[in-house]
Amino acid sequence: MRLFITYLIGLVFGIGIAISGMANPAKVLNFFDVAGDWDPSLAFVMGGALIVTMIGYRFVLKRPGPMFSGAFQLPTRRDLDLPLIAGSAFFGVGWGIAGFCPGGALPALGTGRSEVLIFVAAMVAGTLGAKWAQGALKRRAQSTAEV
Amino acid sequence: MFETVFTPFQSLGGGALIGIAAVLLMATLGRVMGATGILAGFFQPADRSDWLWRAAILAGMVSGPVFILFVTGEMPTVQVPVSTAMLVIGGLIVGVGATFGSGCTSGHGVCGIARLSPRSIVATATFMIATAITVFVIRHVIGG
């Protein structure tokens, strides 16, 4: 039952992404192309998603906890560090090159288009490679600290 | 390059659905709706139940376009104006960047900003500017 509800939440997200145009790289790239064929739609996607999430979170996060799980798992860090900013800048470059972001590409897989599969495969390789590098950096920092 | 039509109402409605999904995921599992984090944990789950919810939500996401096909008779439009090499390079960079940056458009741009997280506000501003510069350079400096 929980898994089915989780599936439905994913479905709502996927339908939202598909309707909004976020699964269409041409539309995403045209949003950023202010000097060319500008398509402002993406601002409306972000706006719609933000308004609903801001209001919804206010109510949900007042509750003692989530329905199916012990506690809300929210990021707690508030500091701004180099990986956050450099990583985000890097992410933006990739988004500008390919036109897909992770949230847009995953639902787009459902269209069965080979271009989406190629992008997602590369993205997964990048993600796992970065995770491995993060782990290696952490281990090195720890072993240096022990010495 | 493709010309695309400005779709304010569809985009606003689709955005609202994205928001509803984010709120429901927080209300039920207490999790942030971040595509990067969900996907990374799918390949490296903490345990079996951690993998199961990620598999379920990913299956739901992928079903989105199929649902639209059933309702409207047409798949949602996907126009890819870039080469295969750019998809591969872009995909690798997106994966690395979103991992080191702790999130992407959905995690930082929607869920993080909705909580007014300073990290997410800075991250979103950073990647929006980087994306705009990249698109400008590719289309108007290199190409054109």
Side-chain angles (χ1 to χ4, degrees), chain A residues 14 32 54 73 95-96 99 134 141:
Chain A
F32 288 103
M54 268 186 172
Q73 301 198 25
W95 195 16
Q134 276 181 332

Side-chain angles (χ1 to χ4, degrees), chain B residues 15-114:
Chain B
L17 284 178
I18 295 167
I20 289 169
V23 173
L24 289 176
L25 188 65
M26 187 58 74
T28 52
L29 295 181
R31 293 280 186 159
V32 170
M33 185 63 125
T36 307
I38 291 172
L39 186 68
F42 173 76
F43 288 100
Q44 295 173 331
D47 52 44
R48 201 180 120 82
S49 77
D50 186 53
W51 183 81
L52 278 173
W53 80 263
R54 291 168 195 275
I57 201 161
L58 288 170
M61 288 183 190
V62 175
S63 308
V66 183
F67 180 88
I68 289 179
L69 175 67
F70 271 113
V71 174
T72 68
E74 275 178 59
M75 271 290 182
T77 314
V78 177
Q79 299 155 296
V80 183
V82 304
S83 65
T84 304
M86 283 165 84
L87 286 174
V88 173
I89 295 166
L92 281 169
I93 296 178
V94 162
V96 172
T99 303
F100 277 99
S102 314
C104 58
T105 328
S106 47
H108 279 313
V110 176
C111 299
I113 292 188

Side-chain angles (χ1 to χ4, degrees), chain A residues 6-8 15-16 19 29 44 46 49 59 61 68 71 74 81 85 92 95 102 107 114 119 126-129 137:
Chain A
T6 309
Y7 170 83
L8 289 180
I15 294 170
I19 292 177
L29 292 174
F44 287 71
M46 294 283 278
F59 288 102
L61 293 174
F68 301 152
L74 295 168
D81 60 353
I85 293 165
W95 195 16
S114 60
F119 172 84
T127 304
L128 296 181
L137 287 171

